Amino acid sequence: MRRDQSTSAAPSALVVSHDLFARADLSWLGLTSAHAGECRRQSGRPRWWNREPDHVAEVPRSRRRRARWRIGPWALATSVRRGLVLLCCAAMARGLGFGVGSCVLVALGCSTAAPDAPVESRQHAVLAAALEDTFNVTQSSVAVSGGTAVIGAIQAGPGAVYVRVRSPAGTWSEQQKLVPSDVPSGGRFGYAVAIDGNTLVASAPGVGTNHGAVYVFVRTGTSWALQQKLTHADNYTFGTAVAVSGDRLAIRQNGYIVSDARVHVYERSGTSWTFKNLSVAYNDEALALSGNNLAWTGKVTAPSGSKDVIVNGQSVMVVPDNADISLALDGSTLAVGQIGLSGAPGKLQLFSGPSWSNAGTMTGPNGGFGSSVSLSGPALLTNNNSGEVPLFARVGNVWSSTPAYSFAPPSTSSVSLSGLTAAVRYSSSVAIYRLGGLTGGACGTTGECIEPGHTCVDSVCCTSACTGGCEACSVAAGAVKDGTCVPVGKGTACGAY
């Protein structure tokens, strides 16, 4: 993780002296191993730290809200908020104090001062990415949009598409299983999937003696319904790749020979999808769509033995004919993944529109690096067949050539990224992770927040420092959403003292 940023985030820990550990069993609070630290009072700020602590430890937020403290013979029910209740080793407090041996339980009001400096050398084990769901399925495809994951499974019968959704608590459950009634056994429904908000697209290349078909579904509330089935008259495989963005849809069609490959573009008006244009493509599955930008592989200026990576009809890169290419678009950022040939390492190439100039290059440790790529805002995911999945980050307008962090076991075959949700496909399962370090993602210090100007507040990366009185930046602390600082009422974020 990046460690070069300021670590001025307000601490979310409860500071506890070693003396208290000796007097009470606090294991039910989930206290981590203690470590040494310097505590001090900061002038003008109504917050107090231990003057001479032996150790400090941290209580996870999930175990602090509405906790009932049983320390010695005393009991106090309170709502613990960010840094508002501290256990100290001196009989000094501003507000209300309860003596516990040589320690004091202090209830402080909201501060309008800037956030305190964090406890030094804190041991807060923030996972770069937390595994939230595993779905066992073979021969699958996967796509994510926000808190919705779409998993295509073609291994049995006509195939199926499973829609899974995330609850605010971070649990995933099946929302619906989709199987169109007209897909025969062997139709391979779910071969390629794409989702954008409440629009889901899934292909079935085996429908109609391998002519292929693409199905568009829309969600109303929590229910998905078929909006339209799209087909093409050519006797080629229609639907080897799909991409959707708003009311635009792109579909790849591969042919028996290279020159037969096409990219079909459809647009939606109301509830109907209409064919708009056709582009000559190359016989592979590289395809990406974001707004008005469309990327694919084909022939524009490439010499014999080569092919072009094309954006909106413009060649941005020439690669060998036999190069295995993956594409991702997010707004005006294009990522091109290229598997290494003849033992060469794989690589990623980034381009910035509208001129599609070179914006960075990442090289992987093996040939499998870059065979799948996904973009979302300042983050880029790719796979790495012999190592963990790396997440690259854009800091300002510059992409780092080294990963911000890596996660997940090796041997991934494809990845999909949307906001804080990342789906990783293996040979027999799909794993869904919640990413840290991005806006609203988990953090322990400001140095773990990847994006410039972000501060670690309420254990999430916040777009501002939350320096006003009685403010919160996480849903758990009373904010509307994780990552955006908002003022909250005394009864909610400040606690009822």
Side-chain angles (χ1 to χ4, degrees):
M1 300 181 191
R2 296 181 65 248
R3 300 288 181 181
D4 57 342
Q5 295 187 14
S6 168
T7 56
S8 60
S12 58
L14 252 67
V15 180
V16 193
S17 76
H18 186 270
D19 177 69
L20 184 63
F21 275 105
R23 294 170 181 268
D25 177 15
L26 300 182
S27 61
W28 63 278
L29 292 175
L31 289 173
T32 61
S33 58
H35 59 87
E38 176 187 357
C39 298
R40 60 192 179 277
R41 175 187 177 187
Q42 297 197 9
S43 176
R45 297 180 182 176
R47 305 217 178 163
W48 292 85
W49 299 98
N50 305 346
R51 284 185 181 272
E52 298 178 354
D54 294 297
H55 291 79
V56 296
E58 186 170 66
V59 181
R61 176 171 298 280
S62 61
R63 304 196 186 187
R64 281 185 264 150
R65 299 185 68 192
R66 299 296 176 188
R68 177 171 292 278
W69 301 94
R70 294 183 176 87
I71 305 172
W74 297 280
L76 174 66
T78 185
S79 176
V80 181
R81 296 293 177 182
R82 171 167 47 96
L84 300 182
V85 177
L86 305 175
L87 290 166
C88 303
C89 282
M92 54 185 179
R94 186 174 300 193
L96 178 65
F98 291 87
V100 184
S102 62
C103 298
V104 174
L105 177 63
V106 184
L108 302 178
C110 285
S111 169
T112 58
D116 294 338
V119 180
E120 297 177 10
S121 303
R122 60 187 292 180
Q123 292 180 351
H124 184 76
V126 174
L127 290 176
L131 177 63
E132 289 189 334
D133 188 38
T134 301
F135 187 75
N136 294 323
V137 59
T138 58
Q139 296 180 320
S140 61
S141 56
V142 64
V144 293
S145 178
T148 303
V150 179
I151 302 168
I154 63 172
Q155 75 273 22
V161 169
Y162 299 86
V163 182
R164 298 183 68 77
V165 293
R166 184 182 190 271
S167 73
T171 59
W172 290 80
S173 59
E174 184 175 305
Q175 186 173 63
Q176 197 167 335
K177 177 182 177 182
L178 305 174
V179 184
S181 59
D182 65 336
V183 179
S185 180
R188 293 184 290 165
F189 176 68
Y191 180 87
V193 294
I195 182 173
D196 184 24
N198 293 318
T199 302
L200 183 160
V201 181
S203 72
V207 167
T209 319
N210 292 325
H211 286 198
V214 171
Y215 298 80
V216 183
F217 298 84
V218 293
R219 176 169 52 189
T220 303
T222 60
S223 179
W224 293 88
L226 179 66
Q227 185 173 63
Q228 195 166 337
K229 175 184 176 182
L230 304 173
T231 59
H232 194 267
D234 287 345
N235 189 27
Y236 305 124
T237 306
F238 184 68
T240 52
V242 295
V244 63
S245 180
D247 291 323
R248 296 188 79 210
L249 166 63
I251 303 170
R252 283 206 72 128
Q253 164 202 314
N254 282 359
Y256 294 119
I257 59 176
V258 170
S259 60
D260 289 334
R262 301 287 187 271
V263 172
H264 304 252
V265 175
Y266 293 79
E267 292 184 0
R268 177 170 52 190
S269 177
T271 60
S272 298
W273 292 87
T274 305
F275 173 79
K276 288 298 179 181
N277 58 64
L278 185 73
S279 299
V280 176
Y282 206 85
N283 249 359
D284 57 28
E285 297 180 0
L287 183 67
L289 175 67
S290 181
N292 291 323
N293 295 321
L294 174 66
W296 72 98
T297 53
K299 285 279 191 178
V300 178
T301 61
S304 177
S306 303
K307 60 186 175 183
D308 294 285
V309 174
I310 304 166
V311 182
N312 303 334
Q314 172 189 344
S315 174
V316 300
M317 183 179 182
V318 177
V319 297
D321 267 347
N322 59 346
D324 193 347
I325 297 297
S326 61
L327 300 174
L329 269 170
D330 186 46
S332 59
T333 301
L334 168 70
V336 181
Q338 181 178 349
I339 293 179
L341 299 173
S342 302
K347 68 178 182 179
L348 292 173
Q349 193 82 33
L350 286 153
F351 298 89
S352 180
S355 62
W356 305 107
S357 56
N358 192 337
T361 302
M362 298 88 165
T363 302
N366 60 74
F369 177 87
S371 62
S372 177
V373 63
S374 188
L375 275 168
S376 183
L380 180 155
L381 276 187
T382 189
N383 61 333
N384 183 6
N385 291 344
S386 64
E388 294 182 326
V389 172
L391 181 142
F392 294 90
R394 182 180 60 210
V395 181
N397 294 320
V398 179
W399 286 92
S400 173
S401 60
T402 58
Y405 58 78
S406 298
F407 66 98
S411 301
T412 60
S413 56
S414 67
V415 296
S416 182
L417 173 65
S418 176
L420 299 178
T421 302
V424 178
R425 179 167 68 90
Y426 305 95
S427 60
S428 59
S429 65
V430 171
I432 301 175
Y433 291 83
R434 186 75 166 176
L435 301 182
L438 303 172
T439 303
C443 61
T445 67
T446 294
E448 292 171 342
C449 295
I450 296 169
E451 298 168 81
H454 283 49
T455 304
C456 189
V457 180
D458 292 328
S459 298
V460 300
C461 291
C462 189
T463 56
S464 64
C466 250
T467 55
C470 297
E471 293 184 330
C473 201
S474 71
V475 173
V480 176
K481 66 177 183 177
D482 289 335
T484 302
C485 187
V486 296
V488 287
K490 287 187 175 181
T492 302
C494 301
Y497 302 118

